[in-house]
Amino acid sequence: MPNHTCCFIGNRHLPVKSIQRILLNLDREIEHCISNGVSTFICGGALGFDQIAASFIIAKKGLGKKIRLIFVLPCKNQDRLWNMKEREFYKDLLNEADNIIYITENTSHPFISKQNRYIIEQSSYCICALQSEKSETIQIIQYAKEKGLSIVNIAE
């Protein structure tokens, strides 16, 4: 699976002033991956960039692209602290997935780390939206570099 698999890693909060550029870059990079044989996209399902990226994959599938969307979630109740609108949107995204993998039953920070490692280890490519070298996202990207993934930061 990894040779034809791309994951998404990014911040939950994207700056409003950069969102249009990030969305255009995201679309371009997804198309680039598809044209280079990527057929599976993995997403963690978190608020922000994860859900934006998943929405793009769902839209591309709707346009007839022969691709798969897999959610790798830290737990079954990831959305327990989200508001109703966020939960409904999340459930709609999950309903469009080709597969959902749960790392554990209940949320806990160590399981989120397991989730991120699993996502990276199943991928060859990573599209990220890294805004700051001081975020937790940088640790995940560093792990992806160590594993030899081809990484494109669409927020640069």
Side-chain angles (χ1 to χ4, degrees):
M1 177 166 45
N3 288 340
H4 303 289
T5 303
C6 177
C7 65
F8 299 104
I9 304 293
N11 298 101
R12 289 195 168 123
H13 303 287
L14 300 173
V16 173
K17 65 181 174 141
S18 303
I19 196 74
Q20 184 175 0
R21 178 176 45 84
I22 290 170
L23 295 177
L24 290 171
N25 290 343
L26 177 60
D27 186 57
R28 185 187 75 241
E29 287 305 320
I30 290 171
E31 285 295 331
H32 179 76
C33 283
I34 293 169
S35 69
N36 284 298
V38 172
S39 57
T40 302
F41 292 85
I42 300 177
C43 186
L47 296 171
F49 182 68
D50 281 5
Q51 291 186 3
I52 292 168
S55 297
F56 270 68
I57 298 305
I58 292 165
K60 302 240 179 247
K61 286 175 60 173
L63 294 172
K65 301 283 184 180
K66 302 296 182 207
I67 55 177
R68 298 179 61 216
L69 175 62
I70 298 174
F71 281 99
V72 175
L73 306 177
C75 57
K76 290 187 176 183
N77 64 344
Q78 172 173 253
D79 63 344
R80 76 185 190 293
L81 299 177
W82 301 352
N83 67 42
M84 185 58 70
K85 185 176 178 183
E86 292 166 339
R87 291 173 112 176
E88 288 174 5
F89 183 67
Y90 176 67
K91 298 295 183 204
D92 289 344
L93 292 175
L94 294 182
N95 285 334
E96 297 292 331
D98 293 288
N99 193 14
I100 301 171
I101 298 167
Y102 296 99
I103 299 300
T104 188
E105 291 290 319
N106 297 308
T107 201
S108 175
H109 187 70
F111 292 114
I112 293 172
S113 295
K114 283 184 180 180
Q115 172 204 24
N116 291 329
R117 282 194 309 272
Y118 183 89
I119 288 170
I120 296 300
E121 290 166 0
Q122 298 302 308
S123 302
S124 290
Y125 304 94
C126 177
I127 298 173
C128 71
L130 180 62
Q131 293 291 311
S132 167
E133 297 290 322
K134 297 178 182 175
S135 71
E136 283 185 40
T137 305
I138 190 68
Q139 295 170 358
I140 303 163
I141 299 304
Q142 185 58 42
Y143 186 64
K145 287 178 183 176
E146 291 170 13
K147 290 296 184 180
L149 272 66
S150 175
I151 302 167
V152 175
N153 184 3
I154 60 169
E156 289 182 325

